[in-house]
Amino acid sequence: MLDKTGVPTKDLVLSKFFDEKTLYKPKAIIECYEEIPCNPCSTSCPFDAIHIGQNINDIPKLDVDLCTGCGICVTSCPGLAIMVAQIKGEKAIFKIAYEQYPLPKKGDIVKGINRHGEEICMCEILNVKLNKNQDKTALIEVSVPLEYIHDFITVRI
Ligand code: SF4
Ligand code: SF4
């Protein structure tokens, strides 16, 4: 399915997620499925939590214990292949990269979108950050109903 449509299967997505106990704290979810010569995720992580190894084509691996969920790798990945996820009660809190303008604002209620581009829920923008090294890619924090934790991928305003 990934080859034909560019959309990963649910099983593939689940293989990149962590269990509920681990996601009590925010952790990077790295949806990088193809072997490509790329490593900004690894070089940008200030906690050395993403390892690619000697062969730059290898798939990045997360050391989940070292990941603080800071989100730096999220806006560093040119493929927008990383998000941070955390479970808080009945909500999944995501940090995602967002490159469309105008940017949403804290407190906005926006549409949650799945990997097929379909609207699945409404969600709340909790924070919007632009860091000085990534002036076009914002890091958006968004609260999503927990039932969509494995479906949500981005927002539509
Ligand atoms: S979220 Fe932060 S700590 Fe975790 S892998 Fe990304 S850059 Fe490293
Ligand atoms: S920066 Fe993104 S696309 Fe490149 S290896 Fe890391 S996760 Fe994959």
Side-chain angles (χ1 to χ4, degrees):
M1 187 167 179
L2 186 63
D3 287 348
K4 287 186 186 152
T5 65
V7 179
T9 61
K10 189 76 174 257
D11 282 348
L12 209 45
V13 172
L14 289 176
S15 74
K16 300 294 182 181
F17 265 78
F18 302 105
D19 61 21
E20 204 168 310
K21 204 170 147 203
T22 305
L23 291 182
Y24 170 70
K25 292 184 177 171
K27 299 294 175 188
I29 309 293
I30 306 178
E31 283 198 68
C32 189
Y33 299 111
E34 311 274 335
E35 293 189 354
I36 48 170
C38 185
N39 69 357
C41 53
S42 176
T43 56
S44 69
C45 177
F47 303 97
D48 195 27
I50 301 180
H51 302 142
I52 290 182
Q54 303 251 322
N55 182 352
I56 196 174
N57 292 298
D58 283 351
I59 304 269
K61 290 192 178 65
L62 182 76
D63 184 330
V64 76
D65 294 328
L66 294 180
C67 176
T68 66
C70 68
I72 289 172
C73 60
V74 174
T75 50
S76 300
C77 169
L80 305 181
I82 309 178
M83 55 165 73
V84 168
Q86 181 180 17
I87 295 175
K88 277 192 183 172
E90 292 305 307
K91 300 288 185 187
I93 310 298
F94 287 95
K95 288 176 187 166
I96 59 168
Y98 194 78
E99 295 185 326
Q100 293 181 42
Y101 284 72
L103 293 173
K105 298 182 299 301
K106 181 179 175 179
D108 283 354
I109 304 297
V110 296
K111 292 166 183 157
I113 305 298
N114 68 12
R115 288 170 181 76
H116 298 276
E118 300 158 346
E119 296 173 13
I120 49 170
C121 61
M122 299 308 287
C123 43
E124 181 182 356
I125 303 294
L126 301 179
N127 206 357
V128 178
K129 266 195 217 165
L130 268 172
N131 94 40
K132 53 179 186 279
N133 299 325
Q134 298 286 348
D135 59 348
K136 295 225 168 60
T137 307
L139 184 69
I140 290 183
E141 194 171 347
V142 53
S143 172
V144 175
L146 184 56
E147 65 197 280
Y148 300 111
I149 187 169
H150 299 131
D151 301 305
F152 173 85
I153 191 74
T154 191
V155 298
R156 187 175 292 150
I157 299 165

